[in-house]
Amino acid sequence: MIGNWSGTAGRAVAALRRPAGPVTYTLIAVCCLIFLIGPASGFNPSYGTGDALLAAQRAYFRHWGVVPAQLFEGEPRAALTPATALFIHGSWVHLLGNMLFLYVFGVLTEERMGRVEFTLFYLGCGYLALLGYAAAHADSDQSLVGASGAISAVLGAFLCAFPRARVTSLLPFLFFLPLRFPAWVVLPFWVTLQWIAAGRAEQGPGVAYLAHLIGFALGFGYAWARFGRTAKVRAAPAPAPEGENQP
């Protein structure tokens, strides 16, 4: 009896010491580090100031981001940009908004999938979301950056896995009062907003609403195919604001 109790206690202590969501936290740390050393943060003096800084930002985004017109010309380096663009962000608001959503929804999704599977899921869905958006704007010469496609996939998988989890949302038309709703209410509402915005979007990359929709569909579809009925786990995640930041 004592031996069994000791073994159970040891496993419980080990579980408490094991960090939850290590892949999620690593992705957040990498995105933040890359942003800080890049020209968009304004912290790296090597990029200069004023017009020189703006020129450096444009060149940086074109090099690491997705440029649809270049992507479909068959250049080998361009084929990697839907992956590298996932770690590049255009502003502080863009970065912090994306990382907040990844933090809130990524940890539980990672725990449900496992570390390796979640890593491949995140990168694969993010790549395909940006690739799909680029295909819809194949003639565009504008650069596209941001992790929103991958994070949208996480949202889709989260909805499939934890539909009853209550999420704290900040609704602008209710004066940003924090209200708690089930994920099956908040996330479909977010998808609807993306759908409406995508239909009104002008030509060329800007706010990549279509990438959000593609990523969300990929994430939900993967979780449904991977877990089926067993995906629906009851849980109560940390609060999150409604919406998703643009790439």
Side-chain angles (χ1 to χ4, degrees):
M1 179 68 70
I2 294 178
N4 292 338
W5 182 87
S6 299
T8 302
R11 288 191 294 272
V13 171
L16 290 174
R17 290 179 178 175
R18 184 173 62 246
V23 174
T24 298
Y25 295 140
T26 300
L27 289 170
I28 292 173
V30 170
C31 286
C32 290
L33 178 61
I34 290 176
F35 180 80
L36 290 174
I37 64 178
S41 69
F43 284 166
N44 192 334
S46 66
Y47 290 106
T49 59
D51 292 339
L53 178 59
L54 292 177
Q57 290 175 353
R58 288 192 294 267
Y60 185 81
F61 295 148
R62 288 188 65 83
H63 182 78
W64 298 108
V66 177
V67 180
Q70 295 179 2
L71 180 62
F72 295 104
E73 288 178 353
E75 182 182 350
R77 188 200 65 81
L80 296 176
T81 57
T84 59
L86 296 176
F87 299 93
I88 308 299
H89 292 83
S91 68
W92 282 98
V93 173
H94 187 198
L95 172 74
L96 295 178
N98 276 347
M99 294 307 100
L100 173 61
F101 270 78
L102 179 55
Y103 169 76
V104 171
F105 294 100
V107 173
L108 282 178
T109 306
E110 178 185 342
E111 290 184 352
R112 183 72 179 90
M113 292 184 177
R115 299 176 185 178
V116 175
E117 183 178 354
F118 178 77
T119 301
L120 296 176
F121 164 82
Y122 181 91
L123 296 176
C125 289
Y127 186 101
L128 292 176
L130 292 181
L131 183 64
Y133 186 87
H137 301 85
D139 296 330
S140 175
D141 196 44
Q142 298 183 44
S143 57
L144 176 67
V145 298
S148 297
I151 297 173
S152 297
V154 173
L155 299 185
F158 185 94
L159 175 61
C160 185
F162 308 101
R164 297 183 182 180
R166 301 189 72 81
V167 179
T168 299
S169 303
L170 302 178
L171 303 178
F173 53 84
L174 292 178
F175 304 101
F176 294 97
L177 295 176
L179 301 175
R180 291 180 66 80
F181 297 101
W184 65 266
V185 173
V186 174
L187 295 180
F189 177 69
W190 173 83
V191 171
T192 301
L193 293 179
Q194 305 305 301
W195 183 274
I196 294 174
R200 296 177 178 177
E202 298 294 333
Q203 63 178 357
V207 179
Y209 297 114
L210 181 58
H212 299 174
L213 294 172
I214 294 173
F216 189 91
L218 288 171
F220 187 91
Y222 177 86
W224 180 264
R226 174 67 173 81
F227 302 112
R229 295 181 180 274
T230 63
K232 296 179 174 59
V233 180
R234 294 182 181 180
E242 187 283 318
E244 156 74 337
N245 231 319
Q246 73 226 37

